[in-house]
Amino acid sequence: MNAMTESRQNALPLLRRGCEKIYTERELCEKLTRSASSGQPLRIKLGLDPTAADIHLGHSVVLRKMRQFQDLGHKAVLIIGDYTARIGDPSGRSKTRPMLDDTQIKNNAETYFQQASKVLDHDPGKLEIRYNSE
């Protein structure tokens, strides 16, 4: 039995822990099986809009889940919403989503990465940072 097959057998119980419900469990099992068969890791993505200097406690739940995927051999992808932060709330109704300039966005994105790296494995083979402006 190779490491990917063994990892797949142990993956589902670990990934279920802490979740109320996995809505597409059958699809997840299929993806894990294909990943194990091909040796190609899954890419697990999370988008964060850098509208403030710090991520909040609620992000820790999804970051821990992403770390579990990393520990099982998959790749986490953080998508920084730099374009979204630049726009803010175009209706002007939300003071929590103001338009930010490039310097604020860059600084916020850097602190997000530093904070997320406390949970995620930031090895380049296990973590990829992308920007939605790409």
Side-chain angles (χ1 to χ4, degrees), residues 29-100:
C29 288
E30 290 170 1
K31 288 179 183 293
L32 290 168
T33 299
R34 280 195 301 273
S35 172
S37 297
S38 70
Q40 190 74 4
L42 298 176
R43 291 169 44 99
I44 309 304
K45 301 173 187 177
L46 171 64
L48 300 170
D49 291 341
T51 54
D54 298 302
I55 57 177
H56 57 77
L57 186 58
H59 288 114
S60 66
V61 174
V62 70
L63 289 171
R64 292 274 307 133
K65 195 57 59 184
M66 291 181 76
R67 177 58 187 253
Q68 290 172 346
F69 275 101
Q70 285 182 307
D71 291 345
L72 291 167
H74 303 289
K75 189 166 199 168
V77 181
L78 284 181
I79 302 170
I80 305 296
D82 60 328
Y83 184 77
T84 310
R86 192 170 289 115
I87 294 170
D89 177 8
S91 72
R93 292 180 294 204
S94 176
K95 292 179 182 163
T96 60
R97 291 188 53 96
M99 289 174 49
L100 301 178

